[in-house]
Structure formats: C-alpha cells, structure tokens
Amino acid sequence: MHQDIAVRAADLALSVHAAPGRVLDVGCGTGYLLRLLARRCPQATELAGIDAAPSMIEAAEQAADDRRLRFAVGTAERLPYPDDAFDLVVSTTSFDHWSDQRAGLSECARVLAPGGHLMLADQFSSLLLPTLLAGRRGKARTPRRASQLLSAAGFRDLAWHDLYALIIKAATATASQ
Ligand SMILES: C[S@@+](CC[C@H](N)C(=O)[O-])C[C@H]1O[C@@H](n2cnc3c(N)ncnc32)[C@H](O)[C@@H]1O
C-alpha cells in the first residue's frame, strides 16, 4: 500500500512542480518515495529525507542508490535546513504522527523557496471525525482542519486530491512569495 501511495504521490508532486532542483521528504521512512523521485528528476541536485526514527534513516541510507540522496534524523517541527532550501517538499502518511502539526507546516513553509510547492499526503476525511474523539484529539484529520493549518502557515493555491482508497488524500499548495 505504501508503495502505491508513493507512486501516486510522486505523480502528483511532479504535476505541480515538474522539474524541482531540490527536494525534501519529511517523515521519509525508508526513502522509497525519494528514490522514485530521484529516478524521475534527473535535473535535481539534492533529494533530502528526514525522519524522526533513526532505524528508518539507517534503512534509507542502506537502500540509497543515487549519490544525490541525503538522509538525516530529525523532526518536521524543527527541520535542520536553512530558509528557502528546497523547491519541493513532500510528505506521505507522516503528518498524522507529528506532535505539533502547526509547527511542522510552518517549518515546511520556511524551508521552501518562494513559489516552491508542498505535497502533503495522509489520511484526511470527515469519516475520521469519530477517531478524533479518542487518541488523536487535536490532529488535523479532515481537509477542512488541515486547510486551516496550511493557510496559517502561509501556503496559498491550496488544492485537494484523492490519492488512494477513500481516505488517503493529498493537499498541494504553494509557498508564499
Ligand atoms: C507511516 S510512516 C511513513 C513513511 C513514509 N513516508 C512512507 O510513506 O512510507 C510515518 C513516518 O513518519 C515518521 N515521523 C513520525 N513523527 C515524525 C516527525 N515529527 N517528524 C518527522 N518524521 C516523523 C516516522 O518515524 C515514520 O517513519
């Protein structure tokens, strides 16, 4: 399932930003999506992946098959990159795990160059509203709540896309000029 989502996420990300030079995957896991993007983006100079779990970064480094791939341990809430460092930021099925989604999206906006693009894929559905009553209170699990956070972080041109099954959706948005 994660590989199907990654293939669709790559298609979607490259439909909004066709030839990114510098790409970041936040919550990259084992780096599958970044390896796909590396194959499809010969012009890219840097494809960086960050994940909170050292074991994921270790696996991503072992599977890395392109010298432009770079992986680091770290969190969405405190990205260890300078301002305007990337043209495209992607994230798949990680957002729901972020302890502070507002801070994480602000960081995504900060590291994107003006006019750069975000592709954020996760479970987003009003069908998930009941789950917010239990363990995930406060998480943005609907397009409406996530849209509010994306706007507050300064993203514009927000669009929602069905990605996989009923509840995996993706937001695409542009970083403010
Ligand atoms: C379900 S996995 C998805 C991994 C990969 N993106 C994929 O689609 O296969 C969620 C990942 O998010 C990472 N993660 C959780 N909280 C995070 C945070 N605050 N910042 C960065 N990564 C985080 C986890 O360590 C895990 O690797």
Side-chain angles (χ1 to χ4, degrees):
M1 180 185 96
H2 282 282
Q3 295 190 352
D4 286 344
I5 292 171
V7 170
R8 294 181 194 188
D11 286 343
L12 177 61
L14 296 179
S15 75
V16 292
H17 202 119
R22 301 159 300 168
V23 181
L24 172 67
D25 184 352
V26 182
C28 63
T30 59
Y32 185 81
L33 172 58
L34 267 189
R35 292 195 298 281
L36 269 185
L37 289 171
R39 270 175 243 137
R40 294 185 55 182
C41 298
Q43 76 294 332
T45 54
E46 182 186 1
L47 297 111
I50 190 149
D51 198 284
S55 59
M56 290 291 180
I57 292 303
E58 204 178 308
E61 281 171 339
Q62 278 172 12
D65 53 4
D66 189 304
R67 62 178 176 74
R68 298 168 298 161
L69 292 165
R70 307 239 185 291
F71 295 98
V73 177
T75 65
E77 292 84 352
R78 199 167 174 188
L79 293 175
Y81 307 104
D83 297 357
D84 304 348
F86 298 99
D87 310 301
L88 173 65
V89 172
V90 297
S91 183
T92 55
T93 61
S94 180
F95 181 64
D96 197 53
H97 297 274
W98 299 359
S99 58
D100 186 340
Q101 293 177 320
R102 184 178 292 268
L105 291 179
S106 291
E107 281 290 88
C108 291
R110 179 184 66 75
V111 301
L112 270 170
H117 289 92
L118 173 71
M119 190 287 308
L120 178 73
D122 210 335
Q123 303 177 66
F124 293 110
S125 171
S126 48
L127 295 172
L128 295 169
L129 276 174
T131 68
L132 294 170
L133 300 175
R136 293 287 186 179
R137 191 182 295 276
K139 296 281 178 168
R141 278 191 152 186
T142 62
R144 188 163 171 267
R145 291 177 70 162
S147 295
Q148 288 165 351
L149 290 187
L150 286 159
S151 296
F155 285 102
R156 59 184 172 80
D157 303 333
L158 178 59
W160 284 94
H161 313 262
D162 292 327
L163 205 68
Y164 188 87
L166 261 186
I167 58 170
I168 307 289
K169 299 189 192 305
T172 55
T174 310
S176 295
Q177 301 286 342

